[in-house]
């Protein structure tokens, strides 16, 4: 299988990978992954794994790690990008998707004087980011910083990577 799959670091232990249920369903039901097939799994923290499937069922796919590498598909530059919260959530989600695909390491939603939104849907943006990370074959999920004002952004040094990220 040439598709990248995502498994959080907690699902990778002792040389084995257990795909989350939605990823397992995709691997088994959609792509017809079977015992003995190989797949690529990323953990979002820079880990890249070539895995041989040892158990395949619609609810669970388990595999043994055959090869492990770090920082596969990650750019050499550290880029942070910030964008004001947009009225249409779908446009902000498209921005986040494209930023991940381009190799951004941090995404900062900005609260501006004219912004009509104050918040983001973290879970939805996380799903968009995971899908984009898999699509462009990255191994690291960018940090999604909590929404900030422009002044706060400059005062706290978010652009330099010193800010705290929200858990995504």
């Amino acid at each position: 299988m040439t598709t990248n799959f995502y498994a959080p670091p907690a699902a990778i232990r002792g040389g084995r990978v257990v795909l989350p249920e939605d990823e397992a369903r995709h691997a088994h039901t959609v792509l017809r992954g079977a015992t003995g097939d190989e797949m690529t799994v990323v953990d979002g923290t820079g880990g890249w794994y070539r895995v041989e499937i040892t158990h395949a069922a619609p609810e669970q796919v388990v595999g043994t790690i055959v090869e492990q590498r770090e920082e596969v598909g990650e750019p050499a530059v550290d880029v942070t990008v910030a964008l004001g919260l947009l009225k249409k959530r779908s446009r902000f989600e498209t921005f986040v998707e494209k930023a991940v695909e381009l190799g951004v390491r941090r995404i900062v939603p900005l609260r501006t004087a004219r912004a009509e939104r104050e918040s983001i849907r973290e879970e939805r943006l996380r799903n968009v980011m995971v899908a984009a990370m898999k699509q462009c074959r990255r191994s690291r999920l960018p940090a999604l910083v909590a929404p900030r004002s422009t002044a706060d952004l400059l005062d706290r040094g978010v652009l330099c990577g010193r800010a705290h990220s929200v858990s995504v």
Side-chain angles (χ1 to χ4, degrees):
M1 282 185 256
T2 58
T3 304
N4 267 5
F5 293 94
Y6 169 74
I12 302 168
R13 231 180 285 146
R16 297 180 64 88
V17 175
V18 179
L19 291 181
E21 191 174 330
D22 56 334
E23 295 284 298
R25 191 176 318 102
H26 185 71
H28 180 267
T29 307
V30 177
L31 299 176
R32 306 280 189 227
T35 301
D37 288 350
E38 285 193 355
M39 63 182 172
T40 304
V41 177
V42 294
D43 65 8
T45 62
W48 176 97
Y49 309 89
R50 190 166 50 94
V51 176
E52 181 180 337
I53 298 174
T54 55
H55 170 76
E59 324 70 44
Q60 186 181 53
V61 172
V62 180
T64 302
I65 297 172
V66 175
E67 179 185 1
Q68 178 178 349
R69 295 191 291 181
E70 295 293 322
E71 303 299 326
V72 172
E74 293 303 310
V77 294
D78 185 349
V79 176
T80 298
V81 66
L83 179 72
L85 291 167
L86 302 174
K87 180 178 180 179
K88 290 191 174 190
R89 289 187 196 267
S90 64
R91 287 193 179 178
F92 192 79
E93 290 171 2
T94 299
F95 161 77
V96 167
E97 175 186 16
K98 299 307 173 193
V100 172
E101 290 172 358
L102 289 170
V104 167
R105 296 243 176 115
R106 269 175 307 287
I107 299 170
V108 184
L110 289 177
R111 286 192 198 113
T112 62
R114 301 199 192 279
E116 296 184 20
R117 296 217 182 269
E118 288 289 316
S119 64
I120 58 173
R121 297 188 309 185
E122 288 180 41
E123 187 62 29
R124 172 70 185 141
L125 285 177
R126 179 190 179 283
N127 292 338
V128 167
M129 291 169 65
V130 167
M133 175 185 67
K134 293 182 336 184
Q135 172 71 25
C136 66
R137 301 196 177 283
R138 287 184 67 181
S139 57
R140 183 170 296 279
L141 193 63
L144 179 63
V145 177
R148 307 253 188 235
S149 68
T150 306
D152 190 38
L153 179 77
L154 297 172
D155 290 344
R156 290 186 183 219
V158 174
L159 294 175
C160 300
R162 295 188 305 249
H164 298 289
S165 301
V166 295
S167 59
V168 290

